């Protein structure tokens, strides 16, 4: 049996990037041989194994054979007779279909090295369209590799346009969209992901709230995303910015984690424009509702989001002034009044509200 390093690991190594994980293809072996060598079978539809020491994934080479029209019209075959070339042929992009053997020799039957040189993201065969996740992957690689000058080939963009029109795209599992979105948002130029989706017409079926924003304000959200990254906004903030206007179930289903979901919900409730126009009572409700006095990191995150959304807005300054006014009124200031319990709480709140109102007059 022979093992070859394949996929993203070879691509990333050739570009001088640290590979995220190492996937191997095994040619000329059976499942029994793999188990006899100590590999552990993963619970997947295809024979994929974990290396007993390194934990890398080793998949038996497989080929796809067309047996009918459309998305599900093919069977997957695996066995010692399947060649490396057949396994590479079923992959999405040429740059993802280069293999390296244990001696370091590169095997490149589909021109992946040439595409790496030319900085092209190009499909291997029209079978690209048979897996809707590949559209997301091409868009994501354009974000990940954009800083290296990569762009999606025109012929591949044409296929993506066909895919965007097909009904299948609406049936991408939310889980796959969530994963690809999270990976895209973690790149250095995440706006390229959304721009690619927009260009091929997939933004509307996949992320309709973002498509609607695009129709109204052009690429305003993408400019905001650029500003957010420049200000150091991390993945939760990036998610909050682009998903703030999505319906709540969509926001919940696509959020990478609880923090990102919360932040997106808060931004939806408290956009920069609302904070900029808020009166004292509303600012107090914001401070109390989001427990901002005890969570400086939330204040910082919202500040970055508002500055990204509306760079000319004074939302950040108003919240800072309101917070300072809030902190300026302390329980011991009311020590002489004899108030206790809930009455003390009410009085404290009244004074804080008055202080916030005064701060707004000063700022105005
Ligand atoms: N692949 C594919 N079609 C898919 C998913 C994966 O052809 N829908 C192939 C590609 O050859 C890819 C390899 O499987 O390179 C491994 O996939 P994966 O580990 O998910 O992605 P990588 O390309 O390794 O990229 P990254 O690690 O950055 O996600």
């Amino acid at each position: 049996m022979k093992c070859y390093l394949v996929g993203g690991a070879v691509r990333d190594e050739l570009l001088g990037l640290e590979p995220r994980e190492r996937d191997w293809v095994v040619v000329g072996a059976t499942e029994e041989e793999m188990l006899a060598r100590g590999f552990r079978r993963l619970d997947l539809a295809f024979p994929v194994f974990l290396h007993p020491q390194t934990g890398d994934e080793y998949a038996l080479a497989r080929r796809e054979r067309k047996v009918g029209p459309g998305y599900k019209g093919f069977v997957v075959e695996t066995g010692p007779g399947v060649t490396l070339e057949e396994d590479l042929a079923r992959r999405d992009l040429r740059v993802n279909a280069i293999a390296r053997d244990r001696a370091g020799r590169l095997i490149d039957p589909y021109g992946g090295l040439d595409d790496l040189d030319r900085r092209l993201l190009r499909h291997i065969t029209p079978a690209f369209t048979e897996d809707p996740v590949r559209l997301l992957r091409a868009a994501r690689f354009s974000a990940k590799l954009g800083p290296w000058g990569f762009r999606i080939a025109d012929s591949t963009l044409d296929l993506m346009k066909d895919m965007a029109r097909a009904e299948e795209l609406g049936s991408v599992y939310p889980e796959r969209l969530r994963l690809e979105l999270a990976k895209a948002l973690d790149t250095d130029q995440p706006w390229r992901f959304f721009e690619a989706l927009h260009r091929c017409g997939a933004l509307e079926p996949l992320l309709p709230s973002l498509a609607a924003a695009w129709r109204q304000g052009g690429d305003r959200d993408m400019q905001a995303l650029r500003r957010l990254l420049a200000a150091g906004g991390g993945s939760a903030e990036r998610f909050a910015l682009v998903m703030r206007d999505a319906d709540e179930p969509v926001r919940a289903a696509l959020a990478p984690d609880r923090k990102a979901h919360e932040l997106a919900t808060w931004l939806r409730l408290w956009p920069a424009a609302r904070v900029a126009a808020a009166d004292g009572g509303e600012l107090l409700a914001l401070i109390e509702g989001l427990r901002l006095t005890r969570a400086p990191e939330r204040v910082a995150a919202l500040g970055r989001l508002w500055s990204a959304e509306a760079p000319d807005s004074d939302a950040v300054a108003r919240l800072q002034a309101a917070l300072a006014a809030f902190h300026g009124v302390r329980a011991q200031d009311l020590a002489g009044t004899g108030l206790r319990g809930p009455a003390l709480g009410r009085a404290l709140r009244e004074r804080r509200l008055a202080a916030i109102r005064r701060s707004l007059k000063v700022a105005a």
Side-chain angles (χ1 to χ4, degrees), residues 6-9 11-12 20-21 23 90-93 96-97 131 133-134 137 140-141 144 176 183:
V6 287
R11 178 200 66 222
D12 287 352
R20 215 172 41 85
E21 58 193 19
D23 294 324
R90 66 172 178 81
R91 292 167 184 270
D92 54 357
L93 301 171
N96 289 343
D131 177 2
V133 172
R134 290 178 167 177
R137 286 171 53 86
R140 168 163 68 82
F141 287 126
K144 172 175 165 153
R176 287 313 303 259
K183 284 184 181 178

Side-chain angles (χ1 to χ4, degrees), residues 201-268:
L203 206 54
E204 181 69 53
L206 291 172
L207 299 168
S209 65
L210 206 52
W214 213 300
R215 274 197 302 279
Q216 280 160 21
D219 71 344
R220 207 165 48 193
D221 277 355
M222 297 301 113
Q223 301 299 341
L225 193 53
R226 281 183 156 87
R227 284 192 289 269
L228 181 64
L229 262 82
S235 51
E237 290 165 36
R238 299 172 189 189
F239 176 84
L241 184 70
V242 292
M243 295 306 289
R244 64 194 187 289
D245 290 330
D247 293 340
E248 168 51 25
V250 175
R251 256 198 325 260
L254 297 184
D257 52 37
R258 210 169 62 103
K259 188 177 158 205
H261 181 212
E262 262 178 3
L263 211 47
T265 307
W266 294 337
L267 188 62
R268 158 82 172 215

